[in-house]
Amino acid sequence: MRTASLLTILFFISVTVHAQRRRADDDTSHYRTVPVPAHLLPIERAYGSSSLGSLYFYGGKKLSSPYSLEIPFFELNDPDVSHHFQAFRTVTTLSRLTALVPLAYILLSNNRTNGAYWSVYGGSIAASLTLSIIGNSQVNKAVKRYNEMLRQPRIGFSADPVSLTGRTAIGVGISLGF
């Protein structure tokens, strides 16, 4: 008898402690104050895409580049998505600028040894590839956050007049997923 009551008390304590524990996902700072626009569609990443480059589809249509994602990202108006996309743009620009380093070395260097040029050239390629991978990971993070925002439940309220009675019909709904 004492063992059963002790187990019952321990069970209720553990349930109470577990219920009061706050997870990071339950933090209200992650919720939007404005609803997600209903016309936005999910972004799909093509199978076989790599960290060197991804192929994206929006509304079933193939996008020519990750820069085409700027419009849905802008319409979502999420600070995390905007931050990741801006980081992608900055890092991609830096990646392209590193390709100019060997040219600058040739034009500005008085000491044109073959070994030094190939070191600069190889370093430029390595830096460009690294920055490209970092940029693509940033746009992938933006796409992931964008799709997470679209998956959030949408709650709706409607009030429409009924034609036969002239009264108003009130409805409440919730939509999950895309």
Side-chain angles (χ1 to χ4, degrees):
M1 179 74 176
R2 286 176 36 152
T3 306
S5 61
L6 182 63
L7 286 176
T8 305
I9 291 171
L10 286 175
F11 174 75
F12 284 118
I13 290 173
S14 68
V15 168
T16 305
V17 169
H18 182 71
Q20 292 178 359
R21 189 175 65 188
R22 186 174 149 190
R23 293 183 4 211
D25 293 341
D26 294 337
D27 189 5
T28 57
S29 66
H30 295 288
Y31 296 119
R32 294 175 57 94
T33 57
V34 294
V36 173
H39 67 279
L40 292 178
L41 302 172
I43 298 170
E44 300 173 42
R45 186 173 174 218
Y47 179 76
S49 296
S50 70
S51 59
L52 293 176
S54 296
L55 184 61
Y56 297 101
F57 291 89
Y58 182 77
K61 295 180 182 175
K62 179 180 153 186
L63 300 178
S64 59
S65 77
Y67 289 101
S68 302
L69 297 171
E70 185 172 13
I71 294 171
F73 288 165
F74 177 75
E75 289 182 6
L76 181 63
N77 194 23
D78 182 65
D80 290 338
V81 172
S82 298
H83 170 74
H84 289 303
F85 189 72
Q86 187 60 38
F88 158 74
R89 290 178 59 167
T90 303
V91 171
T92 302
T93 302
L94 289 174
S95 172
R96 291 178 180 167
L97 289 176
T98 57
L100 298 176
V101 173
L103 177 63
Y105 177 78
I106 290 173
L107 295 176
L108 302 175
S109 175
N110 293 333
N111 182 7
R112 295 188 181 159
T113 61
N114 227 5
Y117 170 75
W118 288 110
S119 297
V120 169
Y121 186 70
S124 171
I125 289 174
S128 181
L129 282 173
T130 302
L131 290 171
S132 178
I133 290 169
I134 292 170
N136 285 325
S137 72
Q138 288 296 315
V139 79
N140 287 337
K141 288 177 186 177
V143 168
K144 182 179 176 185
R145 171 72 177 165
Y146 172 90
N147 286 334
E148 285 174 359
M149 294 303 295
L150 290 184
R151 277 190 209 107
Q152 286 186 349
R154 299 178 188 182
I155 298 173
F157 177 77
S158 67
D160 292 324
V162 177
S163 59
L164 295 176
T165 62
R167 293 188 175 188
T168 303
I170 298 174
V172 178
I174 185 166
S175 171
L176 299 172
F178 353 94

